[in-house]
Amino acid sequence: MTNKTALVISAHAADFVWRAGGAIALHQAKGYAVTVVCLSYGERGESAKIWKEPGATLEKVKTARRVEAEQAAKALDVHDIQFFDLGDYPLEMDKDAKFRLVDVIRKVQPTFMMSHSLWDPYNTDHMFATKVALECRMIAQAWGHNPQEKALGAPQFYLFEPHQTEQMNWKPDVFLDITEVWDKKYAAIQCMVGQEHLWTYYTNLAENRANHFKRNSGGQSGGRNAKYAEGFQSMFPRTVDEL
């Protein structure tokens, strides 16, 4: 069993694919066990194409989105994917749902965590997911919460790239080369048939971030080329022994 783990908290069932699919596949290949939590299926607000199909119902849409997410997770070699089915537009979480997420965090003991940008006026579900994820990270660190359990340490928390980046007060300070696992990410993207209009957008974004990786990699990653990359913003200072 690996002792390297990561936790990705996705507001809707497709978010982890667009924004962190490369990071997931790459870290799985490096021996990490990556867990994905989908707080909702995105059945109300992010499934317009499926709702246009004859006979669409809420349960049918939720089932379709779950199947897409499970297939995408398989394409990315995800260690574990969990669906909280909390509903969307709006996404809401009571104390029991928060403690459920704390339980997952404590069980996974992630080396790092990922979720959405802190600000997203176009989709408040996204920033709500991150607000709650940070709150649950804090609770998981508290020795007084279920003291018989192992408390969480201080994993880095990365904010993955939002849609319409410039509007979100999101500034990347990490670029991750995902070239070697791009085929897995694109296979996962293609599983999201309910949002086919985003396939090209996120392909172009990965190419643009690869250019930024290349331009910034001299002295850090050998100035090497990259064809596809993802950008992230770290929430907390990174502690180092050498610069």
PDB file of all heavy atoms in Angstrom, residues 26-44:
ATOM      1  N   LEU A  26      -1.315  11.827 -13.417  1.00  0.00           N
ATOM      2  CA  LEU A  26       0.134  11.871 -13.235  1.00  0.00           C
ATOM      3  C   LEU A  26       0.537  11.349 -11.858  1.00  0.00           C
ATOM      4  O   LEU A  26       1.484  10.554 -11.732  1.00  0.00           O
ATOM      5  CB  LEU A  26       0.639  13.301 -13.421  1.00  0.00           C
ATOM      6  CG  LEU A  26       2.156  13.478 -13.364  1.00  0.00           C
ATOM      7  CD1 LEU A  26       2.830  12.793 -14.548  1.00  0.00           C
ATOM      8  CD2 LEU A  26       2.516  14.965 -13.344  1.00  0.00           C
ATOM      9  N   HIS A  27      -0.188  11.773 -10.823  1.00  0.00           N
ATOM     10  CA  HIS A  27       0.166  11.334  -9.475  1.00  0.00           C
ATOM     11  C   HIS A  27      -0.200   9.866  -9.243  1.00  0.00           C
ATOM     12  O   HIS A  27       0.503   9.165  -8.511  1.00  0.00           O
ATOM     13  CB  HIS A  27      -0.460  12.265  -8.441  1.00  0.00           C
ATOM     14  CG  HIS A  27       0.263  13.568  -8.331  1.00  0.00           C
ATOM     15  ND1 HIS A  27       0.033  14.609  -9.198  1.00  0.00           N
ATOM     16  CD2 HIS A  27       1.265  13.973  -7.501  1.00  0.00           C
ATOM     17  CE1 HIS A  27       0.833  15.615  -8.896  1.00  0.00           C
ATOM     18  NE2 HIS A  27       1.589  15.268  -7.876  1.00  0.00           N
ATOM     19  N   GLN A  28      -1.254   9.403  -9.868  1.00  0.00           N
ATOM     20  CA  GLN A  28      -1.543   7.964  -9.809  1.00  0.00           C
ATOM     21  C   GLN A  28      -0.373   7.177 -10.401  1.00  0.00           C
ATOM     22  O   GLN A  28       0.060   6.164  -9.845  1.00  0.00           O
ATOM     23  CB  GLN A  28      -2.834   7.647 -10.554  1.00  0.00           C
ATOM     24  CG  GLN A  28      -4.118   7.924  -9.782  1.00  0.00           C
ATOM     25  CD  GLN A  28      -4.381   6.922  -8.661  1.00  0.00           C
ATOM     26  OE1 GLN A  28      -5.049   7.242  -7.675  1.00  0.00           O
ATOM     27  NE2 GLN A  28      -3.870   5.713  -8.785  1.00  0.00           N
ATOM     28  N   ALA A  29       0.149   7.664 -11.523  1.00  0.00           N
ATOM     29  CA  ALA A  29       1.274   6.985 -12.174  1.00  0.00           C
ATOM     30  C   ALA A  29       2.537   7.036 -11.315  1.00  0.00           C
ATOM     31  O   ALA A  29       3.400   6.161 -11.426  1.00  0.00           O
ATOM     32  CB  ALA A  29       1.546   7.612 -13.543  1.00  0.00           C
ATOM     33  N   LYS A  30       2.629   8.047 -10.437  1.00  0.00           N
ATOM     34  CA  LYS A  30       3.792   8.184  -9.563  1.00  0.00           C
ATOM     35  C   LYS A  30       3.626   7.432  -8.251  1.00  0.00           C
ATOM     36  O   LYS A  30       4.469   7.535  -7.362  1.00  0.00           O
ATOM     37  CB  LYS A  30       4.059   9.669  -9.287  1.00  0.00           C
ATOM     38  CG  LYS A  30       4.560  10.456 -10.503  1.00  0.00           C
ATOM     39  CD  LYS A  30       4.814  11.908 -10.156  1.00  0.00           C
ATOM     40  CE  LYS A  30       5.329  12.695 -11.364  1.00  0.00           C
ATOM     41  NZ  LYS A  30       6.657  12.249 -11.789  1.00  0.00           N
ATOM     42  N   GLY A  31       2.534   6.691  -8.116  1.00  0.00           N
ATOM     43  CA  GLY A  31       2.342   5.873  -6.930  1.00  0.00           C
ATOM     44  C   GLY A  31       1.436   6.454  -5.866  1.00  0.00           C
ATOM     45  O   GLY A  31       1.309   5.894  -4.778  1.00  0.00           O
ATOM     46  N   TYR A  32       0.804   7.572  -6.163  1.00  0.00           N
ATOM     47  CA  TYR A  32      -0.160   8.142  -5.230  1.00  0.00           C
ATOM     48  C   TYR A  32      -1.503   7.410  -5.346  1.00  0.00           C
ATOM     49  O   TYR A  32      -1.860   6.914  -6.422  1.00  0.00           O
ATOM     50  CB  TYR A  32      -0.415   9.617  -5.534  1.00  0.00           C
ATOM     51  CG  TYR A  32       0.669  10.567  -5.091  1.00  0.00           C
ATOM     52  CD1 TYR A  32       1.913  10.576  -5.735  1.00  0.00           C
ATOM     53  CD2 TYR A  32       0.456  11.459  -4.054  1.00  0.00           C
ATOM     54  CE1 TYR A  32       2.909  11.464  -5.342  1.00  0.00           C
ATOM     55  CE2 TYR A  32       1.454  12.358  -3.659  1.00  0.00           C
ATOM     56  CZ  TYR A  32       2.671  12.347  -4.308  1.00  0.00           C
ATOM     57  OH  TYR A  32       3.648  13.220  -3.920  1.00  0.00           O
ATOM     58  N   ALA A  33      -2.244   7.387  -4.253  1.00  0.00           N
ATOM     59  CA  ALA A  33      -3.637   6.948  -4.275  1.00  0.00           C
ATOM     60  C   ALA A  33      -4.500   8.206  -4.215  1.00  0.00           C
ATOM     61  O   ALA A  33      -4.566   8.874  -3.174  1.00  0.00           O
ATOM     62  CB  ALA A  33      -3.939   6.029  -3.096  1.00  0.00           C
ATOM     63  N   VAL A  34      -5.123   8.555  -5.333  1.00  0.00           N
ATOM     64  CA  VAL A  34      -5.891   9.803  -5.423  1.00  0.00           C
ATOM     65  C   VAL A  34      -7.375   9.505  -5.240  1.00  0.00           C
ATOM     66  O   VAL A  34      -7.953   8.700  -5.967  1.00  0.00           O
ATOM     67  CB  VAL A  34      -5.663  10.506  -6.775  1.00  0.00           C
ATOM     68  CG1 VAL A  34      -6.424  11.824  -6.812  1.00  0.00           C
ATOM     69  CG2 VAL A  34      -4.171  10.743  -7.019  1.00  0.00           C
ATOM     70  N   THR A  35      -7.970  10.163  -4.264  1.00  0.00           N
ATOM     71  CA  THR A  35      -9.406  10.054  -4.009  1.00  0.00           C
ATOM     72  C   THR A  35     -10.103  11.300  -4.532  1.00  0.00           C
ATOM     73  O   THR A  35      -9.628  12.415  -4.326  1.00  0.00           O
ATOM     74  CB  THR A  35      -9.685   9.894  -2.504  1.00  0.00           C
ATOM     75  OG1 THR A  35      -9.099   8.668  -2.044  1.00  0.00           O
ATOM     76  CG2 THR A  35     -11.182   9.873  -2.215  1.00  0.00           C
ATOM     77  N   VAL A  36     -11.227  11.101  -5.207  1.00  0.00           N
ATOM     78  CA  VAL A  36     -12.042  12.215  -5.715  1.00  0.00           C
ATOM     79  C   VAL A  36     -13.390  12.178  -5.010  1.00  0.00           C
ATOM     80  O   VAL A  36     -14.044  11.131  -4.957  1.00  0.00           O
ATOM     81  CB  VAL A  36     -12.248  12.113  -7.235  1.00  0.00           C
ATOM     82  CG1 VAL A  36     -13.210  13.203  -7.721  1.00  0.00           C
ATOM     83  CG2 VAL A  36     -10.912  12.209  -7.968  1.00  0.00           C
ATOM     84  N   VAL A  37     -13.805  13.316  -4.468  1.00  0.00           N
ATOM     85  CA  VAL A  37     -15.142  13.462  -3.888  1.00  0.00           C
ATOM     86  C   VAL A  37     -15.926  14.432  -4.757  1.00  0.00           C
ATOM     87  O   VAL A  37     -15.523  15.587  -4.928  1.00  0.00           O
ATOM     88  CB  VAL A  37     -15.080  13.977  -2.439  1.00  0.00           C
ATOM     89  CG1 VAL A  37     -16.490  14.315  -1.938  1.00  0.00           C
ATOM     90  CG2 VAL A  37     -14.433  12.944  -1.526  1.00  0.00           C
ATOM     91  N   CYS A  38     -17.034  13.958  -5.311  1.00  0.00           N
ATOM     92  CA  CYS A  38     -17.951  14.817  -6.063  1.00  0.00           C
ATOM     93  C   CYS A  38     -19.102  15.180  -5.127  1.00  0.00           C
ATOM     94  O   CYS A  38     -19.886  14.314  -4.734  1.00  0.00           O
ATOM     95  CB  CYS A  38     -18.482  14.098  -7.299  1.00  0.00           C
ATOM     96  SG  CYS A  38     -17.219  13.677  -8.516  1.00  0.00           S
ATOM     97  N   LEU A  39     -19.199  16.442  -4.768  1.00  0.00           N
ATOM     98  CA  LEU A  39     -20.233  16.855  -3.824  1.00  0.00           C
ATOM     99  C   LEU A  39     -21.621  16.788  -4.437  1.00  0.00           C
ATOM    100  O   LEU A  39     -22.609  16.557  -3.741  1.00  0.00           O
ATOM    101  CB  LEU A  39     -19.937  18.268  -3.318  1.00  0.00           C
ATOM    102  CG  LEU A  39     -18.608  18.428  -2.551  1.00  0.00           C
ATOM    103  CD1 LEU A  39     -18.412  19.885  -2.140  1.00  0.00           C
ATOM    104  CD2 LEU A  39     -18.551  17.509  -1.341  1.00  0.00           C
ATOM    105  N   SER A  40     -21.719  16.988  -5.748  1.00  0.00           N
ATOM    106  CA  SER A  40     -22.999  16.855  -6.458  1.00  0.00           C
ATOM    107  C   SER A  40     -22.731  16.275  -7.836  1.00  0.00           C
ATOM    108  O   SER A  40     -21.590  16.165  -8.270  1.00  0.00           O
ATOM    109  CB  SER A  40     -23.697  18.214  -6.582  1.00  0.00           C
ATOM    110  OG  SER A  40     -23.146  18.965  -7.653  1.00  0.00           O
ATOM    111  N   TYR A  41     -23.804  15.921  -8.519  1.00  0.00           N
ATOM    112  CA  TYR A  41     -23.678  15.433  -9.896  1.00  0.00           C
ATOM    113  C   TYR A  41     -23.704  16.578 -10.907  1.00  0.00           C
ATOM    114  O   TYR A  41     -23.432  16.368 -12.086  1.00  0.00           O
ATOM    115  CB  TYR A  41     -24.811  14.455 -10.217  1.00  0.00           C
ATOM    116  CG  TYR A  41     -24.750  13.172  -9.429  1.00  0.00           C
ATOM    117  CD1 TYR A  41     -25.713  12.867  -8.478  1.00  0.00           C
ATOM    118  CD2 TYR A  41     -23.720  12.254  -9.639  1.00  0.00           C
ATOM    119  CE1 TYR A  41     -25.652  11.683  -7.754  1.00  0.00           C
ATOM    120  CE2 TYR A  41     -23.649  11.081  -8.920  1.00  0.00           C
ATOM    121  CZ  TYR A  41     -24.626  10.795  -7.977  1.00  0.00           C
ATOM    122  OH  TYR A  41     -24.553   9.627  -7.259  1.00  0.00           O
ATOM    123  N   GLY A  42     -24.056  17.786 -10.458  1.00  0.00           N
ATOM    124  CA  GLY A  42     -24.238  18.885 -11.405  1.00  0.00           C
ATOM    125  C   GLY A  42     -25.482  18.676 -12.254  1.00  0.00           C
ATOM    126  O   GLY A  42     -25.571  19.139 -13.386  1.00  0.00           O
ATOM    127  N   GLU A  43     -26.472  18.015 -11.650  1.00  0.00           N
ATOM    128  CA  GLU A  43     -27.639  17.582 -12.426  1.00  0.00           C
ATOM    129  C   GLU A  43     -28.582  18.719 -12.808  1.00  0.00           C
ATOM    130  O   GLU A  43     -29.257  18.650 -13.836  1.00  0.00           O
ATOM    131  CB  GLU A  43     -28.417  16.514 -11.642  1.00  0.00           C
ATOM    132  CG  GLU A  43     -29.072  16.974 -10.350  1.00  0.00           C
ATOM    133  CD  GLU A  43     -28.163  16.867  -9.137  1.00  0.00           C
ATOM    134  OE1 GLU A  43     -26.941  16.688  -9.312  1.00  0.00           O
ATOM    135  OE2 GLU A  43     -28.677  16.976  -8.004  1.00  0.00           O
ATOM    136  N   ARG A  44     -28.625  19.775 -12.019  1.00  0.00           N
ATOM    137  CA  ARG A  44     -29.548  20.858 -12.300  1.00  0.00           C
ATOM    138  C   ARG A  44     -28.926  21.920 -13.190  1.00  0.00           C
ATOM    139  O   ARG A  44     -29.548  22.399 -14.139  1.00  0.00           O
ATOM    140  CB  ARG A  44     -30.030  21.495 -10.981  1.00  0.00           C
ATOM    141  CG  ARG A  44     -31.039  20.649 -10.234  1.00  0.00           C
ATOM    142  CD  ARG A  44     -31.153  21.075  -8.763  1.00  0.00           C
ATOM    143  NE  ARG A  44     -31.356  22.511  -8.595  1.00  0.00           N
ATOM    144  CZ  ARG A  44     -32.543  23.110  -8.572  1.00  0.00           C
ATOM    145  NH1 ARG A  44     -33.651  22.389  -8.742  1.00  0.00           N
ATOM    146  NH2 ARG A  44     -32.638  24.403  -8.389  1.00  0.00           N
TER     147      ARG A  44
END
